[in-house]
Amino acid sequence: LHLLLSLARQQEGEDVTARLREVASLTEARGLIRLAADTHPTCVEQIRADTGSEPLADAEPASAPAPPSKETRVQVVETTLLTPKETEVLQLLAANLTNKQIASAMGVGDQTIKWHLKNMFTKLQAGSRKHLIGRARMLGILDQT
């Protein structure tokens, strides 16, 4: 949030170098470098450009997520932000299933899944399936166990 706020203020002409350094420091301290790079790659590049340093040197975005192993279980934390059906879709989406596979597993049509995904994209302010999963993890809705 601080990162996006900083970039918005920068576009208004404000000097945000100190704030970006703080964001970089907090990101590193909390172990959120990969998450920041995957969900906001443009912002990470902006930190590098504005601070003139490499505080997020390990923040190269991941190329492609590895398919989950059979031992990987995805847990969805109960939240009032998503409906129970959206929660179920999110869990299946995190297991790298296609819309058709999710629809089949839930016993609904493809269009229903598209509707749920559209609603989740709006609620979690995500632009892609990968971004949706990243945002859900960042918000603590989705957890790997």
Side-chain angles (χ1 to χ4, degrees), residues 26-120:
L26 288 170
T27 302
E28 284 183 313
R30 294 184 178 153
L32 300 173
I33 295 171
R34 172 66 54 215
L35 181 63
D38 287 345
T39 57
H40 302 295
T42 306
C43 297
V44 171
E45 289 304 317
Q46 192 64 44
I47 287 175
R48 287 181 178 146
D50 286 354
T51 61
S53 63
E54 289 291 324
L56 302 178
D58 298 333
E60 294 306 319
S63 54
S69 66
K70 291 184 180 179
E71 296 83 40
T72 303
R73 224 178 77 226
V74 180
Q75 296 270 330
V76 178
V77 177
E78 192 172 323
T79 178
T80 57
L81 181 62
L82 301 177
T83 66
K85 289 292 185 185
E86 289 169 346
T87 300
E88 189 176 353
V89 170
L90 181 63
Q91 187 171 22
L92 295 169
L93 183 66
N96 287 332
L97 297 181
T98 65
N99 287 1
K100 195 171 199 169
Q101 291 169 326
I102 294 170
S104 176
M106 293 178 65
V108 297
D110 292 11
Q111 292 301 317
T112 303
I113 300 306
K114 288 180 182 178
W115 175 258
H116 288 309
L117 286 172
K118 181 183 82 69
N119 290 337
M120 287 191 293

